[in-house]
Protein backbone atom coordinates (compact mmCIF):
# COMPACT_ATOMS: atom_id res chain seq x y z
CA UNK A 1 0.00 0.00 0.00
CA UNK A 2 2.92 2.27 -0.73
CA UNK A 3 2.20 5.82 -1.91
CA UNK A 4 -1.46 5.91 -0.90
CA UNK A 5 -0.93 8.58 1.76
CA UNK A 6 -2.73 6.56 4.41
CA UNK A 7 -1.38 6.42 7.94
CA UNK A 8 -3.62 3.73 9.28
CA UNK A 9 -6.94 4.41 10.98
CA UNK A 10 -6.08 8.03 11.75
CA UNK A 11 -8.06 10.87 10.27
CA UNK A 12 -7.98 14.64 10.78
CA UNK A 13 -10.40 15.89 13.42
CA UNK A 14 -10.47 19.48 12.26
CA UNK A 15 -9.03 21.84 9.70
CA UNK A 16 -8.34 25.47 10.52
CA UNK A 17 -7.59 28.44 8.32
CA UNK A 18 -6.04 31.73 9.38
CA UNK A 19 -7.94 34.74 8.14
CA UNK A 20 -6.31 37.89 6.75
CA UNK A 21 -6.67 39.90 9.98
CA UNK A 22 -5.06 37.19 12.11
CA UNK A 23 -2.39 36.60 9.44
CA UNK A 24 -1.53 40.31 9.47
CA UNK A 25 -1.18 40.27 13.26
CA UNK A 26 0.99 37.13 13.15
CA UNK A 27 3.21 38.72 10.51
CA UNK A 28 3.61 41.91 12.56
CA UNK A 29 4.39 40.03 15.77
CA UNK A 30 6.83 37.75 13.97
CA UNK A 31 8.61 40.75 12.47
CA UNK A 32 8.85 42.43 15.88
CA UNK A 33 10.16 39.19 17.42
CA UNK A 34 12.89 38.93 14.78
CA UNK A 35 13.88 42.58 15.26
CA UNK A 36 13.99 42.09 19.05
CA UNK A 37 16.12 38.98 18.71
CA UNK A 38 18.52 40.76 16.35
CA UNK A 39 18.84 43.70 18.72
CA UNK A 40 19.49 41.32 21.61
CA UNK A 41 22.23 39.56 19.65
CA UNK A 42 23.80 42.89 18.69
CA UNK A 43 23.85 44.00 22.34
CA UNK A 44 25.48 40.71 23.34
CA UNK A 45 28.10 41.01 20.57
CA UNK A 46 28.76 44.62 21.59
CA UNK A 47 29.36 43.62 25.22
CA UNK A 48 31.23 40.36 24.53
CA UNK A 49 33.74 41.42 21.84
CA UNK A 50 36.01 44.36 21.23
CA UNK A 51 34.65 47.02 18.89
CA UNK A 52 36.40 45.89 15.70
CA UNK A 53 35.66 42.20 16.29
CA UNK A 54 32.07 43.07 17.17
CA UNK A 55 31.64 44.94 13.88
CA UNK A 56 33.08 41.97 12.00
CA UNK A 57 30.83 39.50 13.83
CA UNK A 58 27.79 41.66 13.14
CA UNK A 59 28.62 41.97 9.44
CA UNK A 60 29.21 38.21 9.19
CA UNK A 61 25.82 37.49 10.79
CA UNK A 62 24.08 39.96 8.48
CA UNK A 63 25.87 38.44 5.48
CA UNK A 64 24.79 34.90 6.44
CA UNK A 65 21.15 35.92 6.81
CA UNK A 66 21.11 37.80 3.51
CA UNK A 67 22.76 34.91 1.63
CA UNK A 68 20.24 32.44 3.08
CA UNK A 69 17.25 34.63 2.19
CA UNK A 70 18.73 35.27 -1.26
CA UNK A 71 19.09 31.55 -1.90
CA UNK A 72 15.51 30.94 -0.80
CA UNK A 73 14.29 33.67 -3.15
CA UNK A 74 16.50 32.52 -6.05
CA UNK A 75 15.45 28.88 -5.74
CA UNK A 76 11.78 29.83 -5.37
CA UNK A 77 11.37 28.10 -2.00
CA UNK A 78 8.43 29.10 0.12
CA UNK A 79 8.98 29.43 3.84
CA UNK A 80 5.97 29.51 6.11
CA UNK A 81 4.73 28.17 9.42
CA UNK A 82 3.61 24.83 8.03
CA UNK A 83 6.07 22.21 6.94
CA UNK A 84 5.21 20.55 3.66
CA UNK A 85 7.41 18.15 1.71
CA UNK A 86 8.97 19.46 -1.52
CA UNK A 87 6.87 18.64 -4.57
Amino acid sequence: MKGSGSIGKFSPLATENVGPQVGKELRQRGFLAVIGALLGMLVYIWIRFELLFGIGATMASLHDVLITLGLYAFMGYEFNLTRSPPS
Side-chain angles (χ1 to χ4, degrees), residues 2 10-11 17 21 24 28 32 45 54-55 59 62-63 72 75 78 84-85:
K2 215 175 199 184
F10 299 103
S11 64
N17 290 324
Q21 188 66 30
K24 181 180 177 184
Q28 288 174 344
L32 289 176
I45 290 171
I55 292 171
M59 290 298 113
L62 181 63
H63 174 266
Y72 266 77
M75 301 297 282
E78 176 183 346
S84 58

Side-chain angles (χ1 to χ4, degrees), residues 12-74:
L13 296 177
T15 304
E16 297 180 18
N17 290 324
V18 176
Q21 188 66 30
V22 175
K24 181 180 177 184
E25 182 181 346
L26 285 173
R27 187 172 33 254
Q28 288 174 344
R29 288 184 179 210
F31 182 73
L32 289 176
V34 168
I35 294 298
L38 286 173
L39 288 175
M41 289 189 312
L42 289 175
V43 168
Y44 171 75
I45 290 171
W46 176 40
I47 293 170
R48 173 68 176 87
F49 299 105
E50 295 176 19
L51 179 61
L52 291 178
F53 294 125
I55 292 171
T58 302
M59 290 298 113
S61 297
L62 181 63
H63 174 266
D64 292 346
V65 169
L66 290 177
I67 292 296
T68 302
L69 289 176
L71 284 174
Y72 266 77
F74 180 72

